[in-house]
Amino acid sequence: MTAAHEPLVLTEVDEPVAGPGEVVIDVRAASLCHSDVGFLDGTLTGILGFTPITLGHEIAGVIASIGADVTSVAVGDRVGVPTAFGGPGQAIDGGFAEKVKVGADWVLPLPDGISFEQAAPATDAGMTAYHALKLGGVTAGTKLGIIGAGGLGSLAIQFAVGLGAEVYVAEINEAVWDNARGYGATAVAKDIMEFADTGLEVIVDYAGFGTTTAGAIDAVAPKGTVVQVGLGRERADISSQNVVFKELRYLGSSAGSHEDCAAVMDLIAAGKASSILTEIGFDEIGEGIERLQRGEVVGRLVAVLPE
């Protein structure tokens, strides 16, 4: 990425070298995120460390080399890199490359049974979806509303159903409704307001398009919780009266912890959840981000490098 509002450029960069406390990873899979759209359209450019920068913050691969004093991982280990502010693809060069350098304490060993393709989106989409449910206090029996059944929302439905929650999904794209029902959602509709009389105790907004946030505030039950994850728009016009009179909690949730990411990896490895994936080549990343921006992607696009 050279600058906001400019297309990605395929270029050659110096091969990274692991310094003390660092590792270099041979990238096997790097998935595309709507945040990448935000970087390129200028919405999220402010959190980038510098430009030009190699994007790509959902990364899985194999340890290629280690720096001095690294004992937590070894060459040949299969790893993912849980997404974090200050991490690759944001503050430092990321995973849309053959190799990426990160701090050794950032990486997470992958369990047996999870592919690189599934592990890459789990480092962000999976971890973020899971953390938001935890923050909202979702447990068995919770009446839960989920707004958005895309990359994050589709995983959240699976996690929540696994926890024993009663899940109601709002998603404007009817093409993915059958998927949501297949994951165990109780009901699916275009607007969360269609479930306003259901007594939703928690609503997680994985879309964040302003109107979705306002709808969550209006639809959630008294003394309920709304968790904001999606950042489709910077601002939302919400009813402060509903926040006050219903005594709501409105929480922001971003990314998660290594523990959250490890839990997600284990769930996927055990076959209890999975991302809907479309594999692309690394030379298709720029086109893939444009598809994301146009809303043409179901699930997650994952750029795959052969071993």
Side-chain angles (χ1 to χ4, degrees), residues 19 30 42 53 57 60 63-64 109 134 146 148 181 191 201 259 269:
I53 186 172
H57 58 272
I63 299 291
K134 281 181 52 180
I146 287 178
R181 295 189 186 101
D191 194 310
E201 300 162 271
E259 291 75 19

Side-chain angles (χ1 to χ4, degrees), residues 204-279:
V204 184
D205 182 5
Y206 289 105
F209 280 92
T211 54
T212 58
T213 306
I217 294 291
D218 293 343
V220 74
K223 298 188 183 298
T225 298
V226 173
V227 183
Q228 187 69 49
V229 179
L231 292 172
R233 297 287 183 273
E234 182 184 1
R235 297 181 180 275
D237 184 355
I238 65 173
S239 169
S240 57
Q241 287 188 353
N242 274 337
V243 172
V244 172
F245 294 147
K246 291 201 289 186
E247 297 184 325
L248 305 183
R249 293 197 311 156
Y250 178 56
L251 308 174
S253 181
S254 176
S257 66
H258 265 52
E259 291 75 19
D260 295 331
C261 194
V264 167
M265 295 288 189
D266 287 341
L267 287 169
I268 294 173
K272 296 180 179 179
S274 63
S275 293
I276 300 172
L277 301 180
T278 300
E279 295 183 17

